[in-house]
Amino acid sequence: MVNCINWQITAKDSISLRNEFMNDENGQRTGTATRYVGHGLSWTHFFKQNVFIRPEVVYQYALDNPAFQQGTKFTQLVAAMDLIIRF
């Protein structure tokens, strides 16, 4: 389940808040049987209509079993960035 809220702050910039939940009951998707929750914040900047970047920071945690850093941690913080070119 994913919930996204987007705010258009300028003609070329937007900010998004994303909340997500996943129940990997048997560990078939991730390798660890647990429920996952994540909260992310991202910014999208359009250089042109078909060229944009999207950096984001996401905090994720496992509710039932440690699933991160080889099964030793319940939480992780991820920073990532996309460069998207549509054609």
Side-chain angles (χ1 to χ4, degrees):
M1 177 178 3
V2 176
N3 175 47
C4 293
I5 299 172
N6 301 307
W7 294 277
Q8 189 75 36
I9 54 175
T10 71
K12 293 188 172 193
D13 297 291
S14 65
I15 293 176
S16 300
L17 177 64
R18 184 178 76 237
N19 301 295
E20 50 194 3
F21 172 80
M22 181 177 70
N23 185 6
D24 193 358
E25 193 171 86
N26 299 312
Q28 74 274 14
R29 297 188 186 277
T30 63
T32 302
T34 189
R35 297 169 296 157
Y36 295 89
V37 176
H39 305 289
L41 181 64
S42 66
W43 166 58
T44 303
H45 176 74
F46 285 86
F47 295 102
K48 295 183 176 183
Q49 185 177 359
N50 64 330
V51 179
F52 55 99
I53 59 169
R54 188 175 52 196
E56 71 175 348
V57 176
V58 181
Y59 178 70
Q60 299 171 323
Y61 50 99
L63 297 175
D64 307 308
N65 294 304
F68 305 109
Q69 293 189 6
Q70 300 169 340
T72 62
K73 302 281 185 184
F74 279 89
T75 64
Q76 74 175 358
L77 183 66
V78 178
M81 184 165 52
D82 301 328
L83 169 63
I84 299 169
I85 303 171
R86 295 181 183 163
F87 55 94

